[in-house]
Amino acid sequence: MTVTREKHPFYSFCNKTLEEIRSQGRYRQFTPLARNASQYPIYQLSKEGLQPSPEEIVVWSANDYLGMGIEPAVIEAATQALKQYGAGAGGTRNIAGTNPLHGQLEAELASLHHKEAGLLFVSGYVSNQASLMTILNSMPGWISFSDRQNHASMIAGLKGAKKANCVVFEHNDLNDLEAKLAAASPEAPKLIAFESVYSMDGDISDIKAICALARKYGALTYLDEVHAVGLYGQHGGGVSEREGVADEVDIIEGTLAKGFGAHGGYVTASREIIDYLRSAASGFIFTTSLPPAIVAAALQSVRMVKKDHWRREKLFERVETFREKLEQAGVPYMKTESHIVPIMIGDAERCKEISRRLLSEFGLYATPINYPTVPRGSERLRLTPNPFHTDEMMDDMVKALKTLFSDVKIQSNSEKVIENV
């Protein structure tokens, strides 16, 4: 006998919500791309099935900012560790998942940020969420002060701290931050959570000034350097190293998946803070640790990036060259003080259409960035030139953008958004 069962209301909710997302032009469709390790930033597009096709695509949105993920020495380190230790970690750090490489990488990262200790997490998202939530659930009365444009992982950690009160201050607004710190109870434990490089607008926070406010009002500082590690500072320690203020920041969080081209997240801080997180953060304790091959790749990458300053110099030379080419061609872009080059569109459907045409007509991949990643009306393409983008590749992208922006409706809309940003 066949038993018929009425569907749960959640099925209808999913369908309705997805239909609304499609109607707003922000339905997420992933483009299957296979990176060519010998020809980065060239990828192969897979249109049908699982196997890459011969069609080559130049990718402009990757976060492997220095191309360390295709560095032969990094690949070799991963290969040797894979052969020696196997594919997986074998468990959580407490059970069977602590390899000597984990400790070596944590020490290397602590040294990079001028801290006493470091702690690895399975991703940058988890390191933010688990660390912030654990700290803010520790003592009663915590108040966190969060920049309005903080990453979703930071917000998840702040919201997950049920014992704490979260106060949002306007983006990079020191006056607003101080007013809110001054209005808070002097006795309450406080934490300021902010980033160095904000990845969507490409602007940079005033770390020294925020640390000065933290000292004035007795607050702990938590700095997310994920889009800066490897790229800024003499050794790639991020903006805090470049500005000479790493020692003034209590906790520095970073990723191994961007400037270092591998995978995983981490936090660095004083020995007692790291030991507390190691002992109390569920996102660390109950998750299988990073595989040794990934850790070996990251360790090799960090060591190379720390000493090879030419990689950073090459990156910023390429960024400046690309901006000059956009400027000369009259292609509207958002001027930033970082390595990120946003091409502002201002409409979700148009943004998706330009991205689609770049891929289908010109063989160029640039991810459309829509709500909720950015506010409605500020949709954009987020371009990240890297040391491997040649002048010819840049000319191809500029020519393609100029062709697509010749559409008067798109051109005028973009100019309007730039004025409003």
Side-chain angles (χ1 to χ4, degrees):
M1 184 178 71
T2 302
V3 177
T4 58
R5 185 166 64 93
E6 187 176 340
K7 275 194 171 183
H8 192 280
F10 183 61
Y11 291 94
S12 297
F13 173 84
C14 289
N15 289 326
K16 181 181 178 182
T17 302
L18 289 169
E19 187 57 42
E20 290 173 356
I21 291 173
R22 289 189 184 93
S23 69
Q24 294 166 7
R26 57 185 186 90
Y27 182 72
R28 295 175 186 266
Q29 291 178 301
F30 301 135
T31 303
L33 295 165
R35 179 160 67 170
N36 188 328
S38 64
Q39 291 183 283
Y40 186 67
I42 293 175
Y43 287 56
Q44 289 178 292
L45 178 66
S46 178
K47 288 185 176 180
E48 296 179 2
L50 299 177
Q51 295 301 315
S53 73
E55 186 176 353
E56 293 184 341
I57 303 297
V58 178
V59 170
W60 280 86
S61 297
N63 283 341
D64 188 353
Y65 296 132
L66 297 175
M68 294 305 295
I70 52 92
E71 168 63 44
V74 172
I75 295 172
E76 178 62 20
T79 301
Q80 291 304 316
L82 184 63
K83 290 178 179 178
Q84 182 175 357
Y85 301 116
T92 66
R93 291 285 292 275
N94 186 55
I95 294 175
T98 295
N99 184 284
L101 292 168
H102 288 97
Q104 292 175 40
L105 180 54
E106 287 170 339
E108 200 74 49
L109 293 167
S111 171
L112 176 66
H113 294 296
H114 305 278
K115 300 298 178 210
E116 293 179 342
L119 190 66
L120 290 171
F121 289 83
V122 292
S123 73
Y125 190 104
V126 175
S127 59
N128 267 335
Q129 182 185 37
S131 299
L132 285 167
M133 187 166 61
T134 302
I135 292 167
L136 295 171
N137 276 329
S138 60
M139 304 186 301
W142 272 105
I143 304 175
S144 64
F145 298 83
S146 172
D147 188 289
R148 186 171 294 280
Q149 289 194 21
N150 275 341
H151 191 269
S153 58
M154 300 178 78
I155 295 169
L158 298 171
K159 286 185 175 180
K162 302 299 184 183
K163 297 179 180 179
N165 180 33
C166 181
V167 176
V168 177
F169 63 92
E170 295 305 317
H171 178 54
N172 276 344
D173 189 331
L174 295 173
N175 291 328
D176 189 47
L177 173 58
E178 179 161 23
K180 286 170 177 173
L181 284 165
S185 168
E187 291 77 27
K190 304 174 187 66
L191 178 144
I192 303 172
F194 63 110
E195 301 181 37
S196 56
V197 176
Y198 287 85
S199 64
M200 289 300 125
D201 287 350
D203 53 348
I204 296 176
S205 62
D206 188 338
I207 301 172
K208 187 174 184 64
I210 291 176
C211 288
L213 287 176
R215 288 192 300 272
K216 181 177 179 180
Y217 293 96
L220 204 66
T221 45
Y222 183 101
L223 173 64
D224 177 314
E225 286 260 38
V226 295
H227 289 278
V229 289
L231 282 63
Y232 298 81
Q234 183 61 31
H235 304 95
V239 178
S240 58
E241 185 193 28
R242 186 189 71 176
E243 302 300 319
V245 295
D247 291 338
E248 299 181 32
V249 182
D250 293 296
I251 303 163
I252 296 178
E253 184 267 352
T255 183
L256 302 164
K258 295 180 171 64
F260 297 125
H263 184 75
Y266 64 88
V267 292
T268 62
S270 66
R271 199 168 304 282
E272 61 262 42
I273 288 178
I274 294 301
D275 203 15
Y276 176 74
L277 290 174
R278 187 181 67 87
S279 303
S282 62
F284 170 80
I285 297 169
F286 299 108
T287 302
T288 297
S289 58
L290 288 169
I294 296 297
V295 178
L299 181 60
Q300 178 66 27
S301 179
V302 171
R303 287 173 173 169
M304 293 179 71
V305 167
K306 285 173 79 171
K307 65 182 180 64
D308 295 342
H309 190 62
W310 64 265
R311 297 177 190 275
R312 289 175 280 283
E313 293 175 346
K314 181 65 174 178
L315 168 70
F316 285 100
E317 180 276 320
R318 293 285 78 195
V319 171
E320 288 308 310
T321 298
F322 183 58
R323 285 176 175 148
E324 289 171 7
K325 289 178 179 291
L326 289 171
E327 196 84 41
Q328 291 167 6
V331 175
Y333 70 97
M334 188 175 176
K335 294 179 173 65
T336 74
E337 51 187 327
S338 71
H339 59 286
I340 295 166
V341 185
I343 306 294
M344 304 301 291
I345 308 298
D347 178 88
E349 201 59 53
R350 291 189 183 105
C351 190
K352 193 166 77 171
E353 178 64 9
I354 290 178
S355 176
R356 185 193 67 78
R357 291 181 61 185
L358 280 171
L359 183 62
S360 63
E361 298 175 25
F362 300 95
L364 304 171
Y365 181 75
T367 311
I369 307 294
N370 297 328
Y371 177 85
T373 306
V374 295
R376 289 186 176 91
S378 65
E379 291 81 4
R380 67 198 67 181
L381 304 177
R382 176 184 173 274
L383 305 186
T384 53
N386 68 51
F388 298 91
H389 282 107
T390 64
D391 282 0
E392 182 181 1
M393 290 175 180
M394 291 182 180
D395 290 338
D396 289 344
M397 173 56 87
V398 171
K399 182 180 178 181
L401 287 171
K402 191 169 184 178
T403 299
L404 295 176
F405 272 80
S406 63
D407 181 327
V408 176
K409 289 186 294 183
I410 295 175
Q411 177 81 25
S412 61
N413 188 275
S414 297
E415 291 171 349
K416 178 183 72 175
V417 172
I418 289 172
E419 292 170 1
N420 292 338
V421 168

